[in-house]
Each structure stands twice: as C-alpha cells, then as structure tokens.
Coordinates of all heavy atoms in Angstrom, one line a residue:
M1 N 0.8 -1.2 0.0 CA 0.0 0.0 0.0 C 0.9 1.2 0.0 O 1.8 1.3 0.8 CB -0.9 0.0 1.2 CG -1.7 1.3 1.4 SD -2.8 1.3 2.8 CE -4.3 0.7 2.0
A2 N 0.6 2.2 -0.8 CA 1.4 3.4 -0.9 C 1.2 4.3 0.3 O 2.1 5.0 0.7 CB 1.0 4.2 -2.2
I3 N 0.0 4.3 0.8 CA -0.2 5.2 1.9 C -1.2 4.5 3.0 O -2.0 3.7 2.6 CB -0.9 6.6 1.5 CG1 -1.0 7.5 2.7 CG2 -2.2 6.4 0.9 CD1 -0.5 8.8 2.4
S4 N -1.0 4.8 4.2 CA -1.8 4.2 5.2 C -2.3 5.4 6.1 O -1.8 6.5 6.1 CB -1.1 3.1 6.0 OG 0.0 3.7 6.7
M5 N -3.2 5.1 7.0 CA -3.7 6.1 7.9 C -4.1 5.4 9.3 O -4.3 4.2 9.3 CB -4.9 6.9 7.4 CG -6.2 6.2 7.4 SD -7.5 7.2 6.8 CE -7.5 7.0 5.1
T6 N -4.0 6.2 10.3 CA -4.4 5.6 11.6 C -5.9 5.6 11.7 O -6.6 6.3 11.0 CB -3.8 6.5 12.8 OG1 -4.4 7.8 12.6 CG2 -2.3 6.6 12.7
E7 N -6.4 4.8 12.7 CA -7.8 4.8 12.9 C -8.3 6.2 13.3 O -9.4 6.6 12.8 CB -8.1 3.8 14.1 CG -9.6 3.8 14.5 CD -10.6 3.2 13.4 OE1 -10.1 2.3 12.6 OE2 -11.7 3.6 13.3
A8 N -7.6 7.0 14.0 CA -8.0 8.3 14.4 C -8.1 9.2 13.2 O -9.1 10.0 13.1 CB -7.1 8.9 15.4
A9 N -7.2 9.1 12.2 CA -7.3 9.8 11.0 C -8.5 9.5 10.2 O -9.2 10.3 9.6 CB -6.0 9.7 10.1
A10 N -8.8 8.2 10.1 CA -10.0 7.7 9.4 C -11.3 8.3 10.0 O -12.2 8.7 9.3 CB -10.0 6.2 9.3
Q11 N -11.3 8.3 11.3 CA -12.5 8.8 12.0 C -12.7 10.3 11.7 O -13.7 10.8 11.5 CB -12.4 8.6 13.5 CG -12.6 7.2 13.9 CD -12.3 6.8 15.4 OE1 -12.0 7.8 16.1 NE2 -12.5 5.6 15.8
H12 N -11.5 11.1 11.7 CA -11.6 12.5 11.4 C -12.1 12.7 10.0 O -12.9 13.6 9.8 CB -10.2 13.1 11.6 CG -10.1 14.5 11.3 ND1 -10.8 15.5 12.1 CD2 -9.5 15.2 10.3 CE1 -10.5 16.7 11.6 NE2 -9.8 16.5 10.5
I13 N -11.6 11.9 9.1 CA -12.0 12.0 7.7 C -13.6 11.8 7.6 O -14.3 12.5 6.9 CB -11.2 11.2 6.7 CG1 -9.8 11.7 6.7 CG2 -11.8 11.1 5.4 CD1 -8.8 10.7 6.1
R14 N -14.0 10.7 8.2 CA -15.4 10.3 8.2 C -16.3 11.4 8.8 O -17.3 11.8 8.2 CB -15.6 9.0 9.0 CG -16.9 8.4 8.9 CD -16.9 7.0 9.6 NE -15.8 6.1 9.2 CZ -14.9 5.7 10.0 NH1 -14.9 5.9 11.3 NH2 -14.0 4.9 9.5
R15 N -15.8 12.0 9.9 CA -16.6 13.1 10.5 C -16.7 14.3 9.6 O -17.8 15.0 9.4 CB -16.0 13.5 11.8 CG -16.4 12.6 13.0 CD -15.9 13.3 14.3 NE -14.6 13.7 14.4 CZ -13.5 12.9 14.8 NH1 -13.8 11.7 15.2 NH2 -12.3 13.4 14.8
S16 N -15.6 14.6 8.9 CA -15.5 15.7 8.0 C -16.4 15.5 6.7 O -17.1 16.4 6.3 CB -14.1 16.0 7.5 OG -13.3 16.3 8.6
L17 N -16.3 14.3 6.2 CA -17.2 14.0 5.0 C -18.7 14.0 5.4 O -19.5 14.5 4.7 CB -16.8 12.6 4.4 CG -15.5 12.6 3.7 CD1 -15.1 11.2 3.4 CD2 -15.5 13.5 2.5
N18 N -19.0 13.5 6.6 CA -20.4 13.5 7.1 C -20.9 15.0 7.2 O -22.0 15.3 6.9 CB -20.6 12.7 8.3 CG -20.5 11.2 8.1 OD1 -20.6 10.7 7.0 ND2 -20.2 10.5 9.2
G19 N -20.0 15.8 7.8 CA -20.3 17.2 8.0 C -20.6 17.9 6.6 O -21.4 18.8 6.5
R20 N -19.9 17.5 5.6 CA -20.0 18.1 4.3 C -21.3 17.6 3.6 O -21.9 18.2 2.7 CB -18.9 17.8 3.3 CG -17.6 18.5 3.6 CD -16.6 18.1 2.5 NE -16.8 18.8 1.3 CZ -16.8 18.2 0.1 NH1 -16.7 16.9 0.0 NH2 -17.0 18.9 -1.0
G21 N -21.7 16.4 4.0 CA -22.9 15.7 3.4 C -22.6 15.1 2.1 O -23.5 14.5 1.4
K22 N -21.3 15.0 1.6 CA -21.0 14.3 0.4 C -19.5 14.1 0.4 O -18.7 14.7 1.2 CB -21.4 15.1 -0.8 CG -20.7 16.5 -1.0 CD -21.1 17.2 -2.2 CE -20.4 18.6 -2.3 NZ -20.8 19.3 -3.4
G23 N -19.1 13.3 -0.5 CA -17.6 13.1 -0.7 C -17.2 11.6 -0.8 O -17.8 10.8 -0.1
E24 N -16.3 11.3 -1.6 CA -15.7 9.9 -1.8 C -14.6 9.7 -0.8 O -14.3 8.5 -0.4 CB -15.3 9.7 -3.2 CG -16.4 9.6 -4.2 CD -17.2 8.4 -4.1 OE1 -16.6 7.3 -3.9 OE2 -18.4 8.5 -4.2
G25 N -13.9 10.7 -0.4 CA -12.7 10.5 0.5 C -11.9 11.8 0.4 O -12.4 12.9 0.1
I26 N -10.6 11.7 0.7 CA -9.7 12.8 0.6 C -8.6 12.6 -0.5 O -8.2 11.4 -0.7 CB -9.0 13.2 1.9 CG1 -8.2 12.0 2.4 CG2 -10.1 13.6 3.0 CD1 -7.1 12.5 3.5
R27 N -8.2 13.6 -1.1 CA -7.1 13.5 -2.0 C -5.8 14.0 -1.3 O -5.8 15.1 -0.7 CB -7.3 14.4 -3.3 CG -6.1 14.4 -4.3 CD -6.5 15.2 -5.5 NE -7.7 14.7 -6.2 CZ -7.8 13.7 -6.9 NH1 -6.7 12.9 -7.1 NH2 -8.9 13.4 -7.5
L28 N -4.8 13.2 -1.4 CA -3.5 13.6 -0.9 C -2.6 13.7 -2.1 O -2.5 12.8 -3.0 CB -3.0 12.6 0.1 CG -1.6 12.8 0.6 CD1 -1.5 14.1 1.4 CD2 -1.2 11.6 1.5
G29 N -1.9 14.9 -2.2 CA -1.1 15.1 -3.3 C 0.1 15.9 -3.0 O 0.2 16.4 -1.8
V30 N 0.9 16.2 -3.9 CA 2.0 17.1 -3.8 C 2.0 18.1 -4.9 O 1.5 17.9 -6.0 CB 3.4 16.4 -3.7 CG1 3.6 15.5 -2.5 CG2 3.7 15.6 -5.0
R31 N 2.5 19.3 -4.6 CA 2.6 20.4 -5.6 C 3.9 21.1 -5.4 O 4.5 21.1 -4.3 CB 1.4 21.4 -5.5 CG 1.4 22.2 -4.3 CD 0.2 23.2 -4.3 NE 0.0 23.8 -3.1 CZ 0.7 24.8 -2.6 NH1 1.6 25.4 -3.4 NH2 0.4 25.4 -1.4
T32 N 4.4 21.7 -6.5 CA 5.6 22.5 -6.4 C 5.3 23.8 -5.7 O 4.2 24.4 -5.9 CB 6.3 22.7 -7.7 OG1 5.3 23.3 -8.6 CG2 6.7 21.4 -8.4
T33 N 6.2 24.2 -4.9 CA 6.0 25.5 -4.2 C 7.4 26.2 -4.0 O 8.3 25.6 -3.6 CB 5.4 25.2 -2.8 OG1 5.2 26.5 -2.1 CG2 6.2 24.3 -2.0
G34 N 7.4 27.5 -4.3 CA 8.6 28.3 -4.0 C 9.8 27.7 -4.6 O 9.8 26.9 -5.5
C35 N 10.9 28.1 -3.9 CA 12.2 27.5 -4.3 C 12.6 26.3 -3.5 O 13.6 25.7 -3.7 CB 13.2 28.6 -4.3 SG 13.4 29.4 -2.7
S36 N 11.8 25.9 -2.5 CA 12.2 24.9 -1.6 C 11.7 23.5 -2.1 O 12.1 22.5 -1.5 CB 11.6 25.1 -0.2 OG 10.2 25.1 -0.2
G37 N 10.8 23.4 -3.1 CA 10.5 22.1 -3.6 C 9.0 21.8 -3.6 O 8.2 22.3 -4.4
L38 N 8.5 21.0 -2.7 CA 7.2 20.4 -2.7 C 6.4 20.6 -1.4 O 7.0 20.8 -0.4 CB 7.3 18.9 -2.9 CG 8.0 18.4 -4.2 CD1 8.2 17.0 -4.2 CD2 7.2 18.8 -5.5
A39 N 5.1 20.7 -1.5 CA 4.3 20.8 -0.4 C 3.1 19.8 -0.5 O 2.7 19.5 -1.6 CB 3.7 22.2 -0.3
Y40 N 2.6 19.3 0.6 CA 1.5 18.4 0.6 C 0.2 19.2 0.3 O 0.0 20.3 0.7 CB 1.3 17.7 1.9 CG 2.5 16.7 2.2 CD1 3.3 17.0 3.3 CD2 2.7 15.6 1.5 CE1 4.4 16.2 3.6 CE2 3.7 14.8 1.8 CZ 4.6 15.0 2.9 OH 5.6 14.2 3.2
V41 N -0.8 18.5 -0.4 CA -2.1 19.1 -0.6 C -3.1 18.1 -0.1 O -3.0 16.9 -0.5 CB -2.3 19.4 -2.1 CG1 -3.7 19.9 -2.4 CG2 -1.2 20.3 -2.7
L42 N -4.1 18.6 0.7 CA -5.2 17.7 1.1 C -6.5 18.4 0.7 O -6.6 19.6 0.9 CB -5.2 17.6 2.6 CG -4.2 16.6 3.2 CD1 -4.2 16.8 4.8 CD2 -4.6 15.2 2.9
E43 N -7.4 17.7 0.0 CA -8.7 18.2 -0.3 C -9.7 17.1 -0.4 O -9.4 15.9 -0.5 CB -8.6 18.9 -1.7 CG -8.1 18.1 -2.8 CD -7.8 18.8 -4.1 OE1 -7.7 20.1 -4.1 OE2 -7.7 18.2 -5.2
F44 N -11.0 17.5 -0.3 CA -12.1 16.6 -0.4 C -12.2 16.1 -1.8 O -12.0 17.0 -2.8 CB -13.4 17.2 0.1 CG -13.4 17.4 1.6 CD1 -13.4 18.7 2.1 CD2 -13.4 16.4 2.5 CE1 -13.4 18.9 3.5 CE2 -13.4 16.6 3.8 CZ -13.4 17.9 4.3
V45 N -12.7 14.9 -2.1 CA -12.9 14.4 -3.4 C -14.4 14.0 -3.5 O -14.9 13.2 -2.7 CB -12.0 13.2 -3.7 CG1 -12.4 12.6 -5.1 CG2 -10.6 13.6 -3.7
D46 N -15.1 14.6 -4.5 CA -16.5 14.2 -4.7 C -16.6 13.2 -5.8 O -17.6 12.5 -5.8 CB -17.3 15.5 -5.0 CG -17.4 16.4 -3.8 OD1 -17.3 15.9 -2.7 OD2 -17.5 17.6 -4.0
E47 N -15.6 13.1 -6.7 CA -15.7 12.2 -7.8 C -14.3 11.7 -8.1 O -13.4 12.5 -8.4 CB -16.3 12.9 -9.0 CG -16.6 11.9 -10.1 CD -17.3 12.6 -11.3 OE1 -18.1 13.4 -11.0 OE2 -16.9 12.3 -12.4
V48 N -14.1 10.4 -8.1 CA -12.8 9.8 -8.4 C -12.7 9.7 -9.9 O -13.7 9.2 -10.6 CB -12.7 8.4 -7.8 CG1 -11.4 7.7 -8.1 CG2 -12.8 8.5 -6.3
V49 N -11.6 10.1 -10.5 CA -11.4 9.9 -12.0 C -10.6 8.7 -12.2 O -9.9 8.1 -11.4 CB -10.7 11.2 -12.5 CG1 -11.7 12.4 -12.4 CG2 -9.4 11.5 -11.9
A50 N -10.6 8.2 -13.5 CA -10.0 6.9 -13.8 C -8.6 6.7 -13.5 O -8.1 5.7 -13.1 CB -10.3 6.7 -15.4
E51 N -7.8 7.8 -13.7 CA -6.4 7.7 -13.5 C -5.9 7.8 -12.0 O -4.8 7.5 -11.6 CB -5.5 8.8 -14.3 CG -5.9 10.2 -14.0 CD -7.1 10.7 -14.9 OE1 -7.6 10.0 -15.7 OE2 -7.3 11.9 -14.8
D52 N -6.9 8.1 -11.1 CA -6.6 8.1 -9.7 C -6.3 6.8 -9.1 O -6.9 5.8 -9.5 CB -7.7 8.7 -8.9 CG -7.9 10.2 -9.0 OD1 -6.9 10.9 -9.3 OD2 -9.0 10.7 -8.8
Q53 N -5.4 6.7 -8.1 CA -5.2 5.5 -7.3 C -5.9 5.7 -6.0 O -5.8 6.7 -5.4 CB -3.7 5.3 -7.0 CG -2.8 5.1 -8.2 CD -3.0 3.7 -8.7 OE1 -3.1 2.7 -8.0 NE2 -3.1 3.6 -10.1
V54 N -6.7 4.7 -5.7 CA -7.5 4.7 -4.5 C -7.0 3.7 -3.4 O -6.9 2.5 -3.8 CB -9.0 4.5 -4.8 CG1 -9.9 4.5 -3.5 CG2 -9.5 5.5 -5.8
F55 N -6.7 4.2 -2.2 CA -6.3 3.3 -1.2 C -7.3 3.4 0.0 O -7.7 4.5 0.3 CB -4.9 3.7 -0.7 CG -3.9 3.7 -1.7 CD1 -3.6 4.8 -2.5 CD2 -3.2 2.5 -2.0 CE1 -2.6 4.7 -3.5 CE2 -2.3 2.4 -3.0 CZ -2.0 3.5 -3.8
E56 N -7.7 2.3 0.5 CA -8.7 2.3 1.6 C -8.0 1.8 2.9 O -7.3 0.8 2.9 CB -9.9 1.4 1.2 CG -11.1 1.7 2.2 CD -12.3 1.2 1.6 OE1 -12.5 1.1 0.4 OE2 -13.2 0.8 2.4
S57 N -8.3 2.5 3.9 CA -7.8 2.2 5.2 C -8.8 2.6 6.3 O -9.3 3.7 6.3 CB -6.5 2.9 5.5 OG -5.9 2.5 6.7
H58 N -9.2 1.6 7.1 CA -10.2 1.8 8.2 C -11.5 2.3 7.6 O -12.2 3.1 8.3 CB -9.6 2.7 9.3 CG -8.4 2.2 9.9 ND1 -8.3 1.2 10.8 CD2 -7.1 2.7 9.8 CE1 -7.1 1.0 11.2 NE2 -6.3 1.9 10.6
G59 N -11.8 1.8 6.4 CA -13.1 2.2 5.8 C -13.2 3.5 5.1 O -14.2 3.9 4.6
E60 N -12.0 4.3 5.1 CA -12.0 5.6 4.4 C -11.0 5.5 3.3 O -10.0 4.8 3.3 CB -11.7 6.7 5.4 CG -12.7 6.9 6.5 CD -14.1 7.1 5.9 OE1 -14.2 7.9 5.0 OE2 -15.0 6.6 6.5
K61 N -11.3 6.3 2.2 CA -10.5 6.4 1.0 C -9.5 7.5 1.0 O -9.9 8.6 1.3 CB -11.4 6.5 -0.2 CG -12.3 5.2 -0.4 CD -13.2 5.5 -1.6 CE -14.1 4.3 -1.7 NZ -15.2 4.6 -2.7
V62 N -8.3 7.2 0.5 CA -7.3 8.2 0.2 C -7.0 8.1 -1.3 O -6.7 7.0 -1.7 CB -6.0 8.0 1.0 CG1 -4.9 9.0 0.6 CG2 -6.2 8.0 2.5
I63 N -7.2 9.2 -2.0 CA -7.1 9.2 -3.4 C -5.8 10.0 -3.8 O -5.6 11.1 -3.3 CB -8.4 9.8 -4.0 CG1 -9.6 8.9 -3.7 CG2 -8.2 10.0 -5.5 CD1 -10.7 9.6 -3.0
I64 N -5.0 9.4 -4.7 CA -3.8 10.0 -5.1 C -3.7 10.0 -6.6 O -3.9 9.0 -7.2 CB -2.6 9.2 -4.5 CG1 -2.7 9.1 -2.9 CG2 -1.3 9.8 -4.9 CD1 -1.7 8.3 -2.3
D65 N -3.3 11.2 -7.1 CA -3.1 11.2 -8.6 C -1.8 10.6 -9.0 O -0.9 10.5 -8.1 CB -3.1 12.7 -9.0 CG -2.0 13.5 -8.5 OD1 -2.1 14.1 -7.4 OD2 -1.0 13.6 -9.2
P66 N -1.6 10.2 -10.2 CA -0.5 9.4 -10.6 C 0.9 10.2 -10.4 O 1.9 9.5 -10.1 CB -0.7 9.1 -12.1 CG -2.2 9.3 -12.3 CD -2.6 10.2 -11.3
K67 N 0.9 11.5 -10.7 CA 2.1 12.3 -10.5 C 2.5 12.3 -9.0 O 3.8 12.3 -8.7 CB 2.0 13.6 -11.0 CG 1.9 13.7 -12.5 CD 1.9 15.0 -13.2 CE 1.6 16.2 -12.3 NZ 1.5 17.5 -13.1
S68 N 1.6 12.3 -8.1 CA 2.0 12.4 -6.7 C 2.3 11.1 -6.1 O 3.0 11.0 -5.1 CB 0.8 13.0 -5.9 OG 0.5 14.3 -6.3
L69 N 1.9 10.0 -6.7 CA 2.1 8.7 -6.1 C 3.5 8.3 -5.8 O 3.8 7.8 -4.8 CB 1.4 7.6 -7.1 CG 1.3 6.2 -6.5 CD1 0.5 6.2 -5.3 CD2 0.8 5.3 -7.6
A70 N 4.4 8.7 -6.7 CA 5.9 8.4 -6.5 C 6.4 9.1 -5.3 O 7.3 8.6 -4.6 CB 6.7 8.8 -7.8
Y71 N 5.9 10.3 -5.0 CA 6.4 11.0 -3.8 C 5.8 10.6 -2.5 O 6.3 10.8 -1.4 CB 6.1 12.5 -4.0 CG 6.7 13.2 -5.2 CD1 6.1 13.4 -6.3 CD2 8.1 13.5 -5.0 CE1 6.7 14.1 -7.4 CE2 8.8 14.1 -6.1 CZ 8.0 14.4 -7.3 OH 8.7 15.0 -8.3
L72 N 4.6 9.9 -2.5 CA 3.9 9.5 -1.3 C 4.0 8.1 -1.0 O 3.4 7.6 0.0 CB 2.4 9.9 -1.5 CG 2.2 11.4 -1.7 CD1 0.8 11.6 -2.1 CD2 2.5 12.1 -0.5
E73 N 4.9 7.3 -1.6 CA 5.1 5.9 -1.3 C 5.4 5.7 0.2 O 6.3 6.4 0.7 CB 6.1 5.3 -2.2 CG 6.3 3.8 -2.0 CD 5.1 3.0 -2.6 OE1 4.5 3.5 -3.6 OE2 4.7 2.0 -2.0
R74 N 4.6 4.9 0.9 CA 4.8 4.5 2.3 C 4.6 5.6 3.3 O 5.0 5.5 4.4 CB 6.2 3.9 2.4 CG 6.4 2.5 1.7 CD 7.7 1.9 1.8 NE 8.5 2.2 3.0 CZ 9.7 2.7 2.9 NH1 10.3 2.9 1.7 NH2 10.4 3.0 4.0
H75 N 4.0 6.7 2.9 CA 3.6 7.7 3.8 C 2.4 7.3 4.7 O 1.7 6.4 4.4 CB 3.3 9.0 3.1 CG 4.5 9.8 2.6 ND1 5.4 9.3 1.8 CD2 4.8 11.1 2.9 CE1 6.4 10.2 1.6 NE2 6.0 11.3 2.2
R76 N 2.2 8.0 5.8 CA 1.1 7.7 6.7 C 0.4 8.9 7.1 O 1.0 10.0 7.5 CB 1.7 7.0 7.9 CG 0.7 6.6 8.9 CD 1.3 5.8 10.0 NE 0.2 5.4 10.9 CZ 0.4 4.6 11.9 NH1 1.6 4.1 12.1 NH2 -0.6 4.2 12.7
A77 N -0.9 8.9 7.1 CA -1.7 10.1 7.6 C -2.1 9.7 9.0 O -2.6 8.6 9.3 CB -2.9 10.3 6.7
R78 N -2.0 10.7 9.9 CA -2.5 10.6 11.2 C -3.2 11.8 11.7 O -2.9 12.9 11.2 CB -1.4 10.1 12.2 CG -0.3 11.1 12.4 CD 0.8 10.6 13.3 NE 1.4 11.7 14.0 CZ 2.2 11.5 15.0 NH1 2.3 10.4 15.6 NH2 2.8 12.6 15.6
F79 N -4.0 11.7 12.7 CA -4.8 12.9 13.2 C -4.1 13.3 14.5 O -3.8 12.5 15.4 CB -6.2 12.4 13.4 CG -7.1 13.5 14.0 CD1 -7.4 14.6 13.3 CD2 -7.6 13.4 15.3 CE1 -8.1 15.6 13.9 CE2 -8.4 14.3 15.8 CZ -8.7 15.5 15.1
R80 N -3.8 14.6 14.6 CA -3.3 15.2 15.8 C -4.2 16.2 16.4 O -4.8 17.0 15.7 CB -2.0 15.9 15.4 CG -0.9 15.1 14.7 CD -0.2 14.2 15.6 NE 0.5 15.0 16.6 CZ 1.4 14.6 17.5 NH1 1.7 13.3 17.5 NH2 1.9 15.4 18.3
Q81 N -4.4 16.1 17.6 CA -5.3 17.0 18.3 C -4.6 17.6 19.6 O -4.2 16.8 20.5 CB -6.6 16.4 18.7 CG -7.6 17.4 19.4 CD -9.0 16.8 19.5 OE1 -9.3 15.7 19.0 NE2 -9.8 17.4 20.3
G82 N -4.5 18.9 19.6 CA -3.8 19.5 20.7 C -4.9 20.4 21.4 O -6.1 20.3 21.1
R83 N -4.5 21.3 22.3 CA -5.4 22.2 23.0 C -6.0 23.2 22.0 O -7.1 23.6 22.2 CB -4.7 22.9 24.1 CG -4.5 21.9 25.3 CD -4.0 22.8 26.5 NE -2.6 22.3 26.8 CZ -1.8 22.9 27.6 NH1 -2.2 24.0 28.2 NH2 -0.7 22.4 27.9
V84 N -5.2 23.6 21.1 CA -5.6 24.7 20.2 C -6.0 24.2 18.8 O -6.9 24.9 18.2 CB -4.5 25.7 20.1 CG1 -4.9 26.8 19.2 CG2 -4.1 26.3 21.5
E85 N -5.5 23.2 18.3 CA -5.7 22.8 16.9 C -5.9 21.3 16.7 O -5.6 20.5 17.6 CB -4.5 23.2 16.0 CG -3.2 22.4 16.3 CD -2.1 22.8 15.4 OE1 -2.3 23.7 14.5 OE2 -1.0 22.3 15.6
R86 N -6.6 21.0 15.6 CA -6.8 19.6 15.2 C -6.4 19.6 13.7 O -6.8 20.5 13.0 CB -8.3 19.2 15.3 CG -8.8 19.2 16.7 CD -10.3 18.8 16.8 NE -11.0 19.3 15.6 CZ -12.3 19.2 15.5 NH1 -13.0 18.8 16.4 NH2 -12.9 19.7 14.4
R87 N -5.7 18.5 13.4 CA -5.2 18.5 12.0 C -4.8 17.1 11.6 O -4.5 16.3 12.4 CB -4.0 19.5 11.8 CG -2.8 19.1 12.6 CD -1.8 20.1 12.4 NE -0.7 19.9 13.4 CZ 0.6 19.7 13.0 NH1 0.9 19.8 11.7 NH2 1.5 19.5 13.9
L88 N -4.8 16.9 10.3 CA -4.3 15.7 9.7 C -2.8 15.9 9.4 O -2.4 17.0 9.0 CB -4.9 15.3 8.4 CG -6.3 14.5 8.5 CD1 -6.9 14.4 7.1 CD2 -6.1 13.2 9.2
Q89 N -2.0 15.0 9.8 CA -0.5 15.2 9.6 C 0.0 14.1 8.7 O -0.4 12.9 8.9 CB 0.2 15.1 10.9 CG 1.7 15.3 10.9 CD 2.3 15.2 12.3 OE1 1.9 14.3 13.1 NE2 3.2 16.1 12.5
V90 N 0.8 14.4 7.7 CA 1.3 13.4 6.8 C 2.8 13.1 7.3 O 3.6 14.0 7.4 CB 1.4 13.9 5.4 CG1 2.0 12.8 4.4 CG2 -0.1 14.2 4.9
Q91 N 3.1 11.8 7.5 CA 4.4 11.4 8.0 C 5.1 10.7 6.9 O 4.6 9.8 6.2 CB 4.3 10.4 9.2 CG 3.7 11.1 10.4 CD 3.7 10.0 11.5 OE1 3.1 9.0 11.4 NE2 4.4 10.3 12.6
Q92 N 6.4 11.1 6.7 CA 7.2 10.4 5.8 C 7.7 9.1 6.4 O 7.8 9.0 7.6 CB 8.4 11.3 5.4 CG 8.0 12.5 4.7 CD 9.3 13.4 4.4 OE1 10.4 13.0 4.8 NE2 9.1 14.5 3.7
P93 N 8.0 8.1 5.5 CA 8.5 6.9 6.0 C 9.9 7.0 6.6 O 10.6 7.9 6.2 CB 8.5 6.0 4.8 CG 8.6 6.8 3.7 CD 7.9 8.2 4.1
Q94 N 10.2 6.2 7.6 CA 11.5 6.2 8.2 C 12.5 5.6 7.2 O 12.2 4.5 6.6 CB 11.5 5.4 9.5 CG 10.7 6.0 10.5 CD 11.1 7.4 11.0 OE1 12.3 7.6 11.1 NE2 10.2 8.2 11.3
R95 N 13.7 6.2 7.1 CA 14.7 5.6 6.2 C 15.4 4.5 7.0 O 15.6 4.5 8.2 CB 15.7 6.7 5.9 CG 15.2 7.7 4.9 CD 16.3 8.6 4.6 NE 15.8 9.6 3.6 CZ 16.5 10.5 3.2 NH1 17.7 10.8 3.6 NH2 16.0 11.4 2.3
T96 N 15.8 3.5 6.2 CA 16.6 2.4 6.8 C 18.0 2.5 6.3 O 18.2 3.0 5.2 CB 16.0 1.0 6.4 OG1 16.0 0.9 5.0 CG2 14.6 0.8 7.0
R97 N 18.9 2.2 7.1 CA 20.3 2.3 6.8 C 20.9 1.1 6.2 O 20.6 0.0 6.4 CB 21.1 2.8 8.0 CG 20.7 4.1 8.5 CD 21.5 4.4 9.7 NE 21.0 5.7 10.2 CZ 21.7 6.6 10.7 NH1 23.0 6.5 10.8 NH2 21.2 7.7 11.2

C-alpha cells in the first residue's frame, strides 16, 4: 500500500465527510512550491477519476493522482489534536540504513 492512515485519521475524515454531506474521500497530493520544492495538498474528493489511485484504510479512502504517487510511497496520515488545533498530519517513512 502506498499510503496508510491511523484509525483516528480515518474517524476524522469520516466526520468531515459527514459534515459536508458528500464526498468519496480525501485527495492527498504534492505540488511544487517556491524555491524549496514540494508541499502536501489535502482536499475533499467528490468524484474519483479513472487515473486516480484509491487506497482504503479503516473504511475511508485516500485518493492519489499518478504524479503524486511516486512522492507519497509508504507515507502515513495521522490525526493530531492539541489544545488549540486539530489536523491531519502526513508522516514520511523512516529511512533504513
């Protein structure tokens, strides 16, 4: 699987989609930004297109476009909640030596 998510992340996505009243899942992608390189992009998906890769974890879908797939291999989405903020966080895989 190219990407996984924690149960807490799946629950957060489910609540968000239910609050919107529609949606197939979330799109995780990368885009070029500034001179530093790449940034993650998260957005709701209402319709999956044929070239998208769909990964399901804990009953929720993460949709990735083909160009972003190479950058997101083995990444993990998790939900973080602090006193002030709640957010989905994308974690890069640990390198092995």
Side-chain angles (χ1 to χ4, degrees):
M1 174 180 267
I3 185 132
S4 63
M5 73 176 91
T6 63
E7 176 66 31
Q11 289 173 359
H12 179 69
I13 292 167
R14 190 173 308 120
R15 282 190 306 268
S16 298
L17 290 171
N18 288 340
R20 287 182 79 230
K22 63 180 180 177
E24 290 289 320
I26 62 162
R27 177 177 304 282
L28 176 59
V30 293
R31 65 176 170 84
T32 56
T33 179
C35 54
S36 63
L38 302 170
Y40 295 115
V41 177
L42 282 169
E43 60 189 14
F44 293 110
V45 174
D46 293 330
E47 187 175 321
V48 178
V49 295
E51 57 269 5
D52 285 336
Q53 294 287 318
V54 179
F55 301 93
E56 193 164 330
S57 183
H58 303 287
E60 296 304 320
K61 294 177 186 171
V62 177
I63 297 121
I64 303 175
D65 65 271
K67 288 187 345 185
S68 297
L69 190 59
Y71 296 103
L72 297 170
E73 187 67 35
R74 296 181 20 237
H75 279 58
R76 182 177 183 170
R78 68 184 201 159
F79 178 66
R80 304 281 300 187
Q81 183 170 347
R83 284 189 244 171
V84 178
E85 67 180 357
R86 297 181 325 192
R87 64 186 170 123
L88 279 176
Q89 181 180 43
V90 179
Q91 291 181 302
Q92 296 179 356
Q94 297 294 325
R95 290 185 175 171
T96 56
R97 294 179 188 220

